């Protein structure tokens, strides 16, 4: 899959038992949001990829300039495939861990948390994601959009962008601005 970042970026993600080759609408939309969000950032930002599957979002983040990247998944096969995809693409320092997202305890704040999961699981973990500056969430059907937006707003998140393709949506949200809160400037939305 090619991305339109600073320079052409190529990732090879073979079709396998793990979700996320870039062809499904939720993955493609998440990749687009991630690329646009990170386009103007200096290298070294951080990303946690919840439900990493093939590792495509974590690996794309590394190509887009992320320094610290961690992908988690509940499926041991997905972790194995994500690690193999990192080796295939010659990407170092991408950490993949076998963890249930419901039991995940986020460490220090992440610049971005990406989660391509299903709506009920996203809703159940939103409150854990408070320390992240930006969220990229997908795996949500259009008919579930309003419910997720309400939960995000209750958790002090501003919706920066919602993208739709077919029956699916992906969205980007940031911490709600307060007088003493700084958030990174976002262009192109």
């Amino acid at each position: 899959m090619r991305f339109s970042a600073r320079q052409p970026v190529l990732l090879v993600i073979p079709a396998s038992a793990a979700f996320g080759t870039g062809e499904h609408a939720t993955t493609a939309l998440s990749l687009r949001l991630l690329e646009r969000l990170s386009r103007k950032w200096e290298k070294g930002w951080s990303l946690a990829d919840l439900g990493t599957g093939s590792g495509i979002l974590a690996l794309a983040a590394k190509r887009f300039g992320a320094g610290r990247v961690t992908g988690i998944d509940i499926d041991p096969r997905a972790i194995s495939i994500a690690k193999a995809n990192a080796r295939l693409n010659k990407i170092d320092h991408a950490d993949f861990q076998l963890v249930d997202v419901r039991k995940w305890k986020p460490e220090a704040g992440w610049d971005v948390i990406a989660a391509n999961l299903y709506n009920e699981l996203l809703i159940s973990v939103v409150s854990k994601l408070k320390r992240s500056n930006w969220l990229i969430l997908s795996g949500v059907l259009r008919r579930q959009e309003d419910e997720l937006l309400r939960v995000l707003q209750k958790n002090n998140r501003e919706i920066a962008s919602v993208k739709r393709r077919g029956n699916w949506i992906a969205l980007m949200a940031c911490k709600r601005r307060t007088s003493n809160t700084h958030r990174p400037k976002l262009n192109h939305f």
Side-chain angles (χ1 to χ4, degrees):
M1 168 161 272
R2 258 193 209 284
F3 303 98
S4 60
R6 297 156 194 74
Q7 50 188 285
V9 177
L10 179 66
L11 278 178
V12 177
I13 305 292
S16 64
F19 182 79
T21 61
E23 298 299 320
H24 192 272
T26 59
T27 308
L29 291 169
S30 295
L31 286 166
R32 176 63 52 112
L33 289 170
L34 179 59
E35 186 276 328
R36 287 185 179 168
L37 178 63
S38 65
R39 182 179 294 163
K40 303 282 184 184
W41 287 359
E42 298 288 323
K43 289 186 181 218
W45 49 276
S46 62
L47 174 126
D49 178 14
L50 311 185
T52 197
S54 70
I56 191 169
L57 295 176
L59 298 175
K62 287 298 278 185
R63 291 281 166 91
F64 294 153
R68 181 173 59 125
V69 171
T70 298
I72 69 166
D73 206 295
I74 195 170
D75 181 357
R77 179 122 170 94
I79 296 301
S80 175
I81 290 168
K83 288 177 179 180
N85 286 336
R87 286 188 301 275
L88 176 67
N89 287 281
K90 297 177 175 50
I91 295 175
D92 296 324
H93 309 294
D95 181 33
F96 295 101
Q97 301 173 10
L98 184 63
V99 178
D100 182 335
V101 70
R102 290 169 288 226
K103 296 177 183 173
W104 181 59
K105 292 182 171 64
E107 51 194 59
W110 294 90
D111 292 310
V112 182
I113 294 179
N116 188 2
L117 302 167
Y118 58 92
N119 193 54
E120 292 79 17
L121 184 53
L122 286 172
I123 286 172
S124 73
V125 300
V126 161
S127 63
K128 288 180 154 194
L129 313 180
K130 290 179 182 176
R131 295 171 65 186
S132 169
N133 291 326
W134 290 94
L135 300 177
I136 296 174
L137 307 177
S138 61
V140 178
L141 292 166
R142 282 186 184 217
R143 63 182 162 79
Q144 300 167 322
E145 179 178 342
D146 290 340
E147 179 184 18
L148 180 59
L149 293 176
R150 279 192 301 275
V151 169
L152 288 167
Q153 290 169 345
K154 285 180 184 176
N155 281 274
N156 294 319
R157 291 291 172 165
E158 265 182 56
I159 308 306
S161 180
V162 178
K163 301 292 182 191
R164 296 168 186 87
R165 184 180 295 170
N167 291 325
W168 299 98
I169 71 155
L171 63 84
M172 186 164 38
C174 59
K175 287 183 181 179
R176 186 172 290 146
R177 285 186 189 197
T178 61
S179 59
N180 60 357
T181 301
H182 171 71
R183 70 175 173 140
K185 185 177 178 184
L186 177 64
N187 296 318
H188 307 291
F189 282 98

